[in-house]
């Protein structure tokens, strides 16, 4: 067996987005496409000879084929050992944990996260670094630059591995250890949460839950934890088998795509608690009985109740949220006397703050919540955090959230997505916003007066790096905001995201319908950005 040296030519479109390189499956199936990007990663990371990496994916279409190629490329490039998820399955949080637990060089995760799967769907590659987190921006830019000049990649000439059997295999000098990561991950969760208390919650027979794994990666982990360790009844986990096409489900845990769960939670016989995760297991959606909780509120409630959870009972060093995430957690931080950091969208921006011990909890409006236990957001962790709080308080999700609003005020919040826009018109819309920004401060729209308007830029307080152009913020007096940005995770045209937020202190007015409460801001957003005129769209594709 030998190492094959293969000549190739660069592709021009391998610049990673918000979270790794995401493209249509058919793009990745082009000869040399995947190989070019993987070789670019190996070339840029450098000093990989003899090192260990973790490898796996969310089980989506093309996962296994891609894994076989990457294993052979790793062997040819001198990697010493690969820890490979059994059947090719590894959730993003589990991969982050394995990197940290074993002090690995890093990891390659094959996932397009919450994007649709199947032959017509999406595929993706992320490289996580030695702290377990996503590659920082300077590294993803280096992968991209390398991909523009690459002319050779290396492949070990060997038969495919059997991914279905745990144990050690050899490929040349490299060892491939095929392992089941559910035990490691469960053990980490047991260190953070009060499993006894949660077992009692399920044990007295009055508490019920449904968890929707959306036929994606979390099914095996969720069954082991909820139905196994915590004694929840069988059937608590629905859509629990990872399938290449997710059985047609779009694995994005929101009100539109987690349809089955939402129907169950809105029914007369709804269980007490509902939750879902996405394709690679890093997102979460939390539902009470006939009650939807925004991810922004979820982060704020977790922070306010962290003292009830063993892993966080010593206090939080600080919290962080992405810029478009509502400012609900800011109020909790203020009350607790801790720092709240505002970062650009993308989990990679939390890495330095977590490593420096400046924050313990962080979260994003895009259904992502996490802590310093790993360096990725973590879907099942968030669900367990909620379960632990429910077990400790003995109250419903709705009651806990209502009380939170009474104490801190409510940040009415919604995100309107306009998907599949023509890139040119979406870019022109953002260009128009940038042009008018300067003149906005001081102007009034109905009752709303603009306090400040800018294109968000971030200076990392730890390493001083600066990221510009991270979204247009229009901030009104009284803590209302409209934010506009283009998604960095889509694979078709452009997606405009409009984030709307209004703060309400008056407890009498905290129970309005969210869209109603935001109706003035929705009209102002359209007026300022000329959404309808520029995109031809009357309504958003998705409202969360
Ligand atoms: C990724 C990132 C998140 C980000 C989200 C949405 O999530 O990891 O940090 O908030 O994309 O990004 P955008 O608004 O640019 O589409 P995931 O779950 O897709 O990896």
């Amino acid at each position: 067996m030998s190492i094959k040296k293969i000549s190739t030519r660069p592709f021009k479109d391998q610049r990673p987005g918000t979270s790794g390189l995401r493209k249509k499956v058919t793009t990745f199936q082009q000869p040399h496409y995947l190989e070019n990007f993987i070789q670019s990663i190996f070339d840029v990371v450098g000093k990989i000879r003899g090192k260990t990496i973790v490898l796996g994916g969310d089980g989506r279409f093309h996962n296994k084929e891609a894994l076989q190629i990457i294993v052979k490329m790793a062997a040819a490039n001198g990697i010493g050992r690969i820890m490979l998820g059994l059947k090719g399955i590894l959730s993003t949080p589990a991969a982050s944990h394995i990197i940290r637990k074993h002090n690995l060089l890093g990891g390659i995760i094959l996932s397009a996260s919450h994007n649709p799967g199947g032959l017509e769907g999406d595929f993706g590659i992320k490289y996580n670094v030695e702290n377990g987190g996503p590659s920082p921006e300077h590294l993803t830019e280096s992968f991209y630059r390398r991909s523009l000049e690459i002319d050779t990649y290396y492949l070990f000439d060997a038969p495919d591995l059997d991914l279905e059997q745990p144990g050690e295999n050899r490929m040349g000098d490299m060892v491939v250890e095929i392992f089941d990561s559910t035990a490691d991950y469960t053990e980490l969760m047991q260190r953070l949460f009060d499993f006894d208390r949660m077992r009692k919650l399920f044990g007295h027979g009055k508490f019920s839950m449904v968890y929707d794994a959306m036929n994606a990666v979390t099914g095996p982990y969720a069954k082991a934890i909820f139905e196994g360790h915590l004694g929840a009844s069988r059937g608590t986990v629905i859509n629990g088998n990872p399938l290449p096409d997710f059985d047609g489900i779009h694995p994005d845990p929101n009100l539109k795509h987690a349809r089955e769960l939402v129907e169950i939670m809105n029914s007369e016989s709804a269980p007490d608690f509902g939750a879902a995760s996405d394709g690679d297991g890093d997102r979460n959606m939390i539902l009470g009985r006939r009650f939807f909780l925004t991810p922004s509120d979820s982060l704020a409630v977790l922070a306010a109740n962290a003292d009830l959870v063993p892993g966080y009972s010593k206090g939080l060093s600080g919290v962080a949220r992405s810029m478009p995430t509502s400012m609900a957690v800011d109020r909790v931080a203020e009350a607790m006397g801790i720092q709240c950091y505002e970062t650009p969208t993308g989990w990679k921006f939390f890495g330095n703050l977590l490593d420096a011990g400046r924050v313990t909890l962080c979260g994003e409006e895009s259904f992502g919540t996490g802590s310093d236990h790993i360096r990725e957001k973590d879907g099942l962790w968030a669900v367990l955090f909620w379960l632990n709080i429910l077990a400790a308080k003995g109250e419903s999700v709705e009651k806990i959230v209502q009380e939170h609003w009474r104490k801190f005020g409510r940040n009415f919040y919604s995100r309107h997505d306009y998907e599949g826009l023509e890139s040119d018109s979406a870019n022109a819309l953002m260009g128009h916003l940038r042009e008018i920004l300067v003149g906005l401060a001081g102007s009034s729209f109905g009752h709303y007066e603009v306090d400040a308007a800018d294109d968000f830029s971030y200076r990392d307080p730890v390493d001083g790096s600066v990221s510009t152009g991270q979204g247009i913020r229009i901030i009104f007096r009284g803590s209302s905001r409209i934010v506009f940005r283009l998604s960095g995770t889509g694979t078709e045209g452009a997606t405009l995201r409009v984030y709307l937020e209004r703060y309400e202190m008056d407890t009498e007015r905290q129970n309005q319908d969210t869209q109603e409460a935001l109706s003035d801001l929705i009209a102002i957003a359209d007026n300022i950005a000329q959404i309808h005129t520029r995109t031809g769209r009357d309504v958003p594709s998705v409202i969360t």
Side-chain angles (χ1 to χ4, degrees):
M1 282 188 248
S2 61
I3 293 172
K4 291 198 280 186
K5 183 176 173 188
I6 297 171
S7 298
T8 186
R9 276 208 302 247
F11 292 87
K12 302 271 177 242
D13 64 346
Q14 298 197 324
R15 174 176 252 149
T18 311
S19 179
L21 183 67
R22 271 185 212 171
K23 300 282 175 196
K24 292 272 159 218
V25 166
T26 44
T27 303
F28 272 102
Q29 284 175 325
Q30 297 171 86
H32 310 306
Y33 193 89
L34 172 98
E35 292 86 341
N36 276 17
F37 191 66
I38 294 292
Q39 188 66 50
S40 301
I41 293 175
F42 287 151
D43 291 351
V44 168
V45 173
K47 299 199 178 126
I48 59 175
R49 193 153 287 280
K51 299 280 174 56
T52 305
I53 60 168
V54 70
L55 174 64
D58 62 12
R60 68 177 56 227
F61 191 82
H62 201 51
N63 192 46
K64 287 190 176 162
E65 293 80 354
L67 286 173
Q68 298 288 359
I69 294 171
I70 295 169
V71 168
K72 291 172 195 173
M73 290 186 67
N77 278 277
I79 292 274
R81 188 180 184 92
I82 288 189
M83 297 182 69
L84 206 162
L86 183 64
K87 301 182 183 181
I89 296 288
L90 195 65
S91 77
T92 289
S96 181
H97 173 50
I98 296 294
I99 294 171
R100 297 171 65 75
K101 181 176 174 184
H102 300 286
N103 293 318
L104 307 187
L105 173 70
I108 297 174
I109 306 166
L110 304 184
S111 170
S113 189
H114 59 288
N115 294 19
L119 174 60
E120 309 289 321
D122 295 343
F123 191 74
I125 302 178
K126 306 192 276 186
Y127 181 75
N128 280 30
V129 295
E130 64 275 5
N131 75 351
S135 300
E137 228 175 19
H138 69 86
L139 206 53
T140 54
E141 276 304 293
S142 303
F143 298 157
Y144 172 57
R145 279 198 301 276
R146 179 67 191 141
S147 78
L148 293 175
E149 58 191 28
I150 195 156
D151 59 8
T152 310
Y153 64 85
Y154 301 92
L155 196 67
F156 202 82
D157 193 8
D160 283 354
L161 285 179
D162 178 2
L163 304 177
E164 307 290 314
Q165 302 302 328
E168 284 195 358
N169 303 263
R170 271 199 169 273
M171 189 173 283
D173 292 335
M174 184 178 80
V175 176
V176 183
E177 175 191 345
I178 297 181
F179 77 112
D180 181 353
S181 66
T182 49
D184 280 312
Y185 181 78
T186 304
E187 191 255 329
L188 175 64
M189 295 300 115
Q190 282 170 320
R191 271 192 271 143
L192 299 171
F193 300 111
D194 191 340
F195 270 49
D196 287 340
R197 198 164 207 175
M198 292 190 279
R199 233 188 325 266
K200 281 192 197 123
L201 180 71
F202 284 109
H204 65 38
K206 290 191 200 123
F207 182 84
S208 55
M209 161 183 176
V210 174
Y211 174 82
D212 190 349
M214 306 190 92
N215 292 321
V217 81
T218 55
Y221 300 87
K223 281 186 202 159
I225 294 176
F226 300 130
E227 298 180 13
H229 291 269
L230 297 180
S233 53
R234 279 193 71 164
T236 294
V237 177
I238 60 171
N239 300 313
N241 296 320
L243 296 171
D245 65 349
F246 309 119
D247 201 19
I249 293 177
H250 180 162
D252 192 354
N254 61 31
L255 291 175
K256 180 169 176 183
H257 297 305
R259 211 171 304 143
E260 189 178 344
L261 175 72
V262 171
E263 265 170 32
I264 294 172
M265 294 308 295
N266 284 338
S267 70
E268 278 306 311
S269 54
D272 300 284
F273 183 52
S277 287
D278 68 332
D280 61 334
D282 55 3
R283 295 185 173 206
N284 74 91
M285 176 170 71
I286 301 293
L287 299 172
R289 188 180 281 148
R290 292 181 283 284
F291 185 79
F292 167 68
L293 178 65
T294 67
S296 298
D297 276 343
S298 178
L299 173 66
V301 175
L302 297 190
N305 292 283
D307 58 332
L308 299 174
V309 177
Y312 305 92
S313 57
K314 290 203 182 86
L316 307 177
S317 59
V319 291
R321 62 163 173 84
S322 66
M323 181 273 280
T325 303
S326 100
M327 296 185 284
V329 74
D330 302 37
R331 298 182 185 275
V332 177
E334 200 185 337
M336 290 175 130
I338 57 174
Q339 187 78 26
C340 177
Y341 295 87
E342 184 178 42
T343 61
T345 295
W347 206 261
K348 58 193 171 202
F349 293 102
F350 294 135
N352 280 346
L353 296 171
L354 290 162
D355 283 350
R358 293 192 186 213
V359 302
T360 311
L361 294 190
C362 27
E364 295 186 277
E365 49 65 41
S366 54
F367 296 86
T369 335
S371 86
D372 57 0
H373 68 294
I374 53 171
R375 293 295 179 270
E376 286 277 5
K377 54 189 185 278
D378 191 343
L380 283 169
W381 167 92
V383 179
L384 285 167
F385 206 128
W386 262 99
L387 264 182
N388 199 147
I389 291 175
L390 294 174
K393 280 183 136 10
E395 288 166 355
S396 70
V397 175
E398 182 170 2
K399 180 135 192 275
I400 292 170
V401 177
Q402 298 272 7
E403 270 171 17
H404 184 95
W405 290 339
R406 263 196 292 280
K407 185 167 173 195
F408 295 98
R410 177 173 182 185
N411 291 68
F412 281 102
Y413 185 83
S414 184
R415 185 176 100 185
H416 289 197
D417 292 338
Y418 297 81
E419 296 176 339
L421 302 178
E422 274 178 27
S423 296
D424 287 349
S425 46
N427 287 328
L429 183 148
M430 292 302 286
H432 155 73
L433 284 171
R434 285 193 182 99
E435 267 166 34
I436 60 166
L437 261 187
V438 203
L440 277 182
S443 46
S444 290
F445 298 85
H447 301 306
Y448 290 88
E449 191 185 331
V450 180
D451 203 11
D454 66 4
D455 191 353
F456 183 61
S457 71
Y458 176 67
R459 186 168 196 281
D460 185 303
V462 179
D463 67 13
S465 58
V466 174
S467 304
T468 55
Q470 297 293 331
I472 306 290
R473 292 193 293 190
I474 301 175
I475 304 165
F476 300 93
R477 283 200 202 291
S479 294
S480 294
R481 294 193 308 170
I482 304 174
V483 173
F484 301 90
R485 61 179 281 281
L486 297 183
S487 160
T489 55
T491 58
E492 247 173 45
T495 295
L496 171 69
R497 302 207 194 285
V498 184
Y499 310 81
L500 305 134
E501 175 175 5
R502 178 166 84 75
Y503 182 62
E504 182 60 71
M505 274 179 310
D506 184 348
T507 50
E508 299 292 308
R509 291 191 298 188
Q510 285 175 353
N511 282 319
Q512 291 170 73
D513 169 75
T514 301
Q515 300 306 314
E516 238 170 76
L518 295 171
S519 57
D520 287 348
L521 285 173
I522 294 169
I524 295 170
D526 186 51
N527 175 359
I528 295 180
Q530 305 170 348
I531 301 171
H532 172 66
T533 333
R534 287 176 177 273
T535 68
R537 300 286 176 88
D538 288 327
V539 285
S541 337
V542 184
I543 295 179
T544 47

